[in-house]
Amino acid sequence: MRELDVFKVIREQKKYDQAIEFVPYAKFLGITFKETSSELIFTMPFTADKIGNVHLPAIHGGAIAGFMENAAIMHLMWTTTPLEVPKLIDFTIDYILSGRPQDTYAKCIVKKLGKRIVNLQVEAWQTDRAKPIAIARSHFKLAIGDG
């Protein structure tokens, strides 16, 4: 059975923890996600090794960016029927607030889903969803199957 066929079964059975296994860096960061009635919410739990600035302290920008990029990949794999893992074309991030030493959350918004390219926005926050710590815009190459 092909790897993405296995992922399709995992998606149908809503085995979120097993889905993360398909994205190694997401697993390394400890990312989890859950499905609400209208969206997927991703969580990156705080751990001390994610601190970049010990004087504030603040989460390293690379950890935040990695979290957001992996949330985007997982979002696309979960909400579409990809024939391959989505390939990143570009990823632009605006850091708005320092990431404090606490759990970080993200949601993805597909702005345009074309036949081969998807434009996606990712918003990350900590305590208040209305106050994002970072917003990213990205494009992915995506080959989508029938279902």
Side-chain angles (χ1 to χ4, degrees), residues 51-113:
I51 292 291
N53 183 337
V54 295
H55 299 293
L56 287 178
I59 297 175
H60 193 283
I64 294 169
F67 167 53
M68 295 172 77
E69 180 183 332
N70 281 275
I73 292 168
M74 187 56 60
H75 177 88
L76 292 172
M77 290 180 67
W78 196 262
T79 60
T80 65
T81 53
L83 299 174
E84 59 188 28
V85 175
K87 304 278 191 276
L88 181 65
I89 297 171
D90 66 9
F91 190 84
T92 304
I93 186 167
D94 294 326
Y95 295 99
I96 301 167
L97 297 169
S98 292
R100 307 313 273 164
Q102 58 197 47
D103 292 355
T104 305
Y105 306 94
K107 70 174 183 174
C108 301
I109 304 156
V110 173
K111 295 295 188 174
K112 172 80 167 104
L113 179 61

Side-chain angles (χ1 to χ4, degrees), residues 7-132:
F7 189 86
K8 182 179 176 183
V9 172
I10 289 169
R11 184 176 57 232
E12 288 168 355
Q13 296 175 356
K14 303 206 180 283
K15 294 184 177 180
Y16 306 106
D17 292 341
Q18 287 183 16
I20 291 296
E21 300 287 325
F22 281 80
V23 185
Y25 194 61
K27 181 181 175 186
F28 173 76
L29 289 174
I31 296 172
T32 61
F33 72 104
K34 64 181 177 183
E35 206 166 0
T36 68
S37 60
S38 60
E39 62 192 354
L40 296 174
I41 300 295
F42 296 86
T43 303
M44 179 178 70
F46 172 73
T47 55
D49 62 339
K50 293 180 182 120
I51 292 291
N53 183 337
V54 295
H55 299 293
L56 287 178
I59 297 175
H60 193 283
I64 294 169
F67 167 53
M68 295 172 77
E69 180 183 332
N70 281 275
I73 292 168
M74 187 56 60
H75 177 88
L76 292 172
M77 290 180 67
W78 196 262
T79 60
T80 65
T81 53
L83 299 174
E84 59 188 28
V85 175
K87 304 278 191 276
L88 181 65
I89 297 171
D90 66 9
F91 190 84
T92 304
I93 186 167
D94 294 326
Y95 295 99
I96 301 167
L97 297 169
S98 292
R100 307 313 273 164
Q102 58 197 47
D103 292 355
T104 305
Y105 306 94
K107 70 174 183 174
C108 301
I109 304 156
V110 173
K111 295 295 188 174
K112 172 80 167 104
L113 179 61
K115 292 181 180 178
R116 293 180 291 179
I117 305 294
V118 61
N119 178 300
L120 184 121
Q121 180 174 307
V122 185
E123 296 176 3
W125 71 93
Q126 289 184 315
T127 55
D128 185 351
R129 197 173 175 156
K131 293 180 183 176

